[in-house]
């Protein structure tokens, strides 16, 4: 962004309320995306009425600033980084900033969503405008009191000064500022002048997290609240036929046993099912109890009979179906450049690989839960959800209520990873409370989460490339997936634009197993497949791995294509930085390196994995990660996000497996489903490209590339190409080269 850029916006987007009970000014901005944060309050803010506001700034007569945050916080750090953006332009000391979580308010906010690593990207300009406009109003008020032009004033850490050396604290002029016109244009700071952005700031909730203060959905409770545990079908494709609740009702603490599901069926039959509606049409048995433990014990005591209306699916069936889709003629072409068939027909050699990945659960640290209190007058919902607006709309439809009577308050989330994009747990809670007309908390166990949840779909990719006269002449990617909807992004990612003859096809099998977005959707496995393939391709071509990528990216630069999502220059930049920082090609004896470079979620990443072999088992020792995400708002938070993505990617690529037998998940807890262990975590070195480009997201982009970096390093060590995840279970995959 250019220094001191002038920006204009509608007056209607800027809300100014002139009077609070104790004086001061509330300034709110209708953000395109979000605004948020939280710092330990040194003053009591509990008497303020926050319900009428969305994203706004409150400035007290003492000069303190409170930023109200509309978007969900799932551990991605936006509750810290977004207020930093406002505070930067407002010119206040970070120590004087406090944050409060706002409720859902669709009238004043757009995109109150946590997903896709988009919060910072979409909120960047609006958040800066919010702070800069507030600052200008305060400066104008001070200038008017002094009788000078506003251009003669300067601001530092909430103190306004004039040429004579006179000063006002922001709190000294808040009331005067409330009577002034809102500026139609403001100047934004030159990034070189940032004093908050780019400085590492701790998580604003960290003290409350480590001391166990109520923050998360599981912490929320009200007087007289009951707890609910839901018995769902044990196999996908089954429905409830009958049940016996006599044993459950006899247990201490159990209040009642009911069924739910009729409202969901009616909703679905009316054609209202939307992307966030993933609930089964079956009735479910619900145990209502005085404590969570009582509810769990009551559910175990239930005796239910389930009927099967459709054939139950297994991993073997999915494998057979996906293989058929890869070789069949039923598919959709998403992009076609040149003539791939002709390039393959004229090739000296065709290299082909099939890459496979299993279903995966989300495994959030905090299991699904939600609070609902349904009365004749209103529906009050509280808890951890990534899509509060969708939850509000569906609940209103399910219960036949006006949407204005449904409120959603958001708690901090103990993980999301895409699972909490889907509001099934919200709808269950609402239907339960509606049935008994008491406040309840629906709580899932770990086993509930893992066996009746939403999963990353099983996917297979067939990638083929043609070589003629030592050059890459054609590239064909075909996807076969269970319940996939990935079609929007992958056709225009690398290597689109880099190969003259290029084609992307997709085929899909509709399953009754509920699937959805999983951390870094669209790319979490695709990157592993493609970047593993390019490593092999470089070997077949007899060219250096780095040079192959650099040359292909030069092709893109020489033939610009507006449909291309990535920047070839920025991909080259992270590749060069990763090579430099990892000591690529110069590792010590016994250390094997693998490389991967990828673009997704608007961010460019390159990674190098270092592994050693210990008793014939690969051990990842280090990952060097180079990232171009534009301006880094909070380096401390960004570092944590990037390291978490790398470790998550390694763990699932190496160890995690999940399948079905007759519709029943084959793992129900961590004793049979392996996540990465502490002793398996490598050192992760993060390096950011420094530039003044507007920032993009970091919650997801570092995960996709690391699977291929590890697989390519394992190949260097063992001579085996790994094409099926998890790698540790498939170390004997056979190679297949078609000449």
């Amino acid at each position: 962004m250019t220094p001191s850029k002038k920006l204009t916006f509608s007056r209607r987007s800027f809300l100014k309320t002139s009077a609070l009970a104790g004086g001061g000014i509330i300034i709110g901005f209708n953000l395109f995306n979000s605004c948020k944060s939280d710092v330990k309050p040194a003053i009591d803010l509990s008497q303020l009425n926050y319900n009428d506001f969305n994203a706004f700034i409150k400035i007290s007569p003492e000069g303190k600033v409170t930023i109200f945050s509309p978007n969900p916080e799932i551990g991605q750090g936006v509750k810290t980084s977004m207020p930093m953006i406002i505070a930067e332009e407002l010119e206040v000391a970070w120590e004087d900033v406090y944050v409060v979580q706002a409720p859902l308010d669709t009238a004043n906010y757009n995109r109150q969503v946590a997903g896709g690593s988009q919060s910072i990207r979409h909120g960047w300009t609006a958040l800066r405008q919010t702070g800069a406009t507030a600052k200008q109003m305060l400066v104008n008020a001070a200038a008017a009191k002094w009788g000078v032009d506003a251009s003669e004033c300067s601001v530092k850490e909430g103190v306004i000064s004039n040429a004579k050396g006179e000063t006002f604290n922001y709190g000294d002029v808040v009331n005067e500022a409330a009577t002034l016109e809102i500026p139609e244009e403001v100047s934004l700071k030159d990034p070189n002048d940032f004093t908050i952005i780019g400085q590492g700031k701790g998580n604003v909730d960290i003290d409350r997290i480590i001391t166990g203060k109520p923050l998360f959905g599981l912490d929320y409770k009200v007087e007289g609240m009951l707890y609910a545990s839901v018995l769902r079908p044990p196999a996908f494709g089954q429905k409830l036929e009958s049940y016996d609740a006599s044993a459950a009702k006899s247990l201490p603490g159990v209040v009642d046993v009911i069924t739910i599901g009729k409202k969901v069926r009616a909703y679905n039959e009316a054609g209202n099912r939307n992307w966030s509606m993933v609930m089964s049409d079956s009735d479910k048995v619900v145990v209502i109890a005085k404590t969570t433990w009582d509810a769990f014990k009551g559910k175990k005591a239930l005796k239910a009979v389930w009927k099967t209306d459709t054939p139950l699916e297994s991993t073997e069936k999915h494998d057979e179906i996906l293989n058929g889709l890869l070789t069949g003629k039923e598919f959709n072409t998403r992009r076609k450049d040149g003539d791939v068939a002709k390039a393959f027909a004229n090739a000296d050699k065709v290299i082909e690989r099939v890459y496979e990945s299993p279903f995966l659960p989300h495994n959030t640290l905090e299991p699904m839960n939600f609070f609902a209190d349904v009365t004749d007058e209103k529906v009050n919902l509280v808890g951890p959800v990534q899509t509060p607006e969708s939850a509000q709309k569906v609940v209103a439809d399910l219960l036949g209520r006006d949407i204005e009577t449904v409120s959603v308050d958001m708690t901090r989330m103990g993980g999301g990873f895409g699972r909490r994009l889907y509001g099934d747990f919200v709808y269950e809670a609402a239907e339960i409370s509606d049935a008994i007309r008491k406040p309840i908390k629906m709580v899932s166990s770990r086993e509930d989460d893992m066996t009746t949840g939403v999963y990353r779909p099983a996917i297979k990719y067939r990638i083929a490339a043609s070589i003629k006269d030592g050059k890459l002449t054609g590239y064909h990617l075909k996807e076969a997936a269970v319940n996939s909807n990935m079609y929007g992004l992958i056709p225009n990612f690398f290597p689109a634009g880099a190969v003259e003859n290029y084609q992307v096809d997709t085929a899909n099998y509709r399953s009754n197993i509920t699937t959805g977005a999983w951390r870094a959707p669209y790319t979490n496995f695709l990157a592993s497949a493609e970047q593993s393939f390019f490593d092999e391709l470089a070997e077949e071509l007899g060219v250096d791995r780095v040079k192959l990528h650099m040359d292909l990216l030069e092709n893109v630069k020489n033939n610009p294509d507006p449909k291309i999502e990535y920047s070839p220059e920025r991909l080259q930049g992270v590749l060069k930085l990763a090579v430099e920082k990892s000591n690529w090609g110069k590792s010590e004896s016994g250390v094997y390196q693998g490389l991967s470079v990828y673009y997704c979620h608007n961010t460019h990443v390159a990674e190098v994995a270092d592994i050693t072999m210990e008793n014939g088992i690969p051990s990842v020792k280090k990952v060097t990660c180079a990232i171009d995400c534009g301006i880094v708002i909070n380096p401390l938070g960004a570092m944590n996000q990037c390291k978490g993505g790398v470790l998550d990617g390694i763990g699932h690529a190496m160890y995690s497996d999940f399948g079905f037998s007759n519709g029943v998940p084959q793992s129900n807890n961590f004793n049979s489903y392996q996540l990465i262990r502490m002793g398996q975590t490598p050192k992760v070195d993060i390096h950011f490209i420094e530039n003044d480009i507007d920032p993009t997201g970091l919650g997801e982009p570092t995960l996709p590339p690391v699977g291929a970096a590890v697989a390519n390093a394992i190949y260097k060590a063992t001579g085996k190409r790994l094409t099926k995840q998890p790698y540790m279970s498939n170390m004997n995959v056979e190679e297949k080269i078609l000449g």
Side-chain angles (χ1 to χ4, degrees), residues 50-324:
Y50 305 143
N51 295 331
D52 296 330
F53 302 97
N54 296 298
F56 62 92
I57 302 168
K58 185 185 78 70
I59 302 174
S60 73
E62 297 80 18
K64 303 298 182 182
V65 178
T66 296
I67 300 174
F68 288 74
S69 167
N71 274 29
E73 169 62 61
I74 55 175
Q76 79 280 43
V78 291
K79 198 175 180 183
T80 302
S81 57
M82 299 188 94
M84 289 175 66
I85 300 171
I86 292 180
E88 181 68 71
E89 294 290 350
L90 185 59
E91 289 282 10
V92 292
W94 181 245
E95 293 73 21
D96 290 336
V97 174
Y98 305 94
V99 184
V100 174
Q101 176 70 57
L104 174 70
D105 187 342
T106 57
N108 292 297
Y109 288 93
N110 294 319
R111 202 184 182 277
Q112 273 187 279
V113 173
S117 298
Q118 297 299 300
S119 293
I120 291 292
R121 177 172 174 256
H122 283 297
W124 171 247
T125 299
L127 290 164
R128 296 184 72 190
Q129 284 179 324
T130 299
T133 302
K135 180 187 76 173
Q136 190 60 55
M137 292 172 68
L138 292 159
V139 169
N140 290 349
K145 290 185 73 169
W146 284 321
V148 301
D149 191 272
S151 63
E152 300 176 26
C153 302
S154 61
V155 183
K156 183 176 181 181
E157 294 191 342
V159 177
I160 308 166
S161 304
N162 63 21
K164 296 179 181 179
E166 299 171 312
T167 62
F168 282 130
N169 182 288
Y170 275 173
D172 297 330
V173 295
V174 291
N175 291 322
E176 289 83 354
T179 66
L180 300 180
E181 289 292 320
I182 298 169
E184 293 188 356
E185 86 175 4
V186 295
S187 295
L188 301 184
K189 294 176 70 172
D190 185 328
N192 292 322
D193 297 328
F194 287 161
T195 59
I196 295 176
I197 292 174
Q199 303 300 310
K201 303 297 181 184
N203 184 322
V204 294
D205 282 337
I206 192 62
D207 289 341
R208 275 165 284 187
I209 291 172
I210 63 178
T211 57
K213 298 294 191 303
L215 279 172
F216 300 90
L218 284 174
D219 299 326
Y220 187 81
K221 60 183 65 176
V222 299
E223 188 70 27
M225 181 179 80
L226 296 173
Y227 294 83
S229 182
V230 182
L231 180 65
R232 305 173 182 91
F236 287 88
Q238 289 185 329
K239 293 184 179 180
L240 181 68
E241 185 172 277
S242 63
Y243 71 97
D244 179 357
S246 55
K249 287 183 176 181
S250 68
L251 293 175
V254 173
V255 174
D256 200 359
V257 177
I258 65 171
T259 60
I260 59 171
K262 293 181 177 60
K263 292 183 182 296
V264 169
R265 281 198 301 280
Y267 180 85
N268 291 340
E269 289 168 2
N272 295 318
R273 185 190 293 268
N274 64 28
W275 68 272
S276 68
M277 190 69 179
V278 296
M279 295 176 72
S280 160
D281 287 340
S282 172
D283 281 345
K284 302 165 190 175
V285 189
V286 183
V287 175
I288 313 295
K290 294 180 180 179
T291 69
T292 302
W293 185 239
D294 290 336
F296 283 178
K297 288 193 295 183
K299 184 174 68 173
K300 286 185 178 180
L302 291 171
K303 297 178 181 179
V305 177
W306 305 92
K307 60 182 178 180
T308 303
D309 290 340
T310 58
L312 301 180
E313 300 179 11
S314 298
T315 297
E316 293 76 16
K317 176 184 177 181
H318 295 142
D319 192 61
E320 180 182 341
I321 289 172
L322 295 184
N323 285 337

Side-chain angles (χ1 to χ4, degrees), residues 52 78 90 100 123 142 232 260 395 476 488 545 672-673 715 724:
D52 296 330
V78 291
L90 185 59
V100 174
R232 305 173 182 91
I260 59 171
V395 168
H476 188 194
R545 174 74 165 86
S672 56
Y673 179 87
Y715 170 72
K724 185 175 182 179

Side-chain angles (χ1 to χ4, degrees), residues 663-711:
V664 178
Q666 294 303 282
S667 296
N668 67 5
N669 213 317
F670 297 137
N671 61 323
S672 56
Y673 179 87
Q674 185 176 347
L675 293 171
I676 193 169
R677 307 293 198 250
M678 290 292 290
Q680 295 163 336
T681 58
K683 178 182 180 183
V684 181
D685 285 346
I686 304 293
H687 304 275
F688 294 104
I689 296 281
E690 295 184 9
N691 56 43
D692 290 339
I693 300 173
D694 288 359
T696 51
L698 280 176
E700 293 162 302
T702 61
L703 184 150
V706 75
V710 171

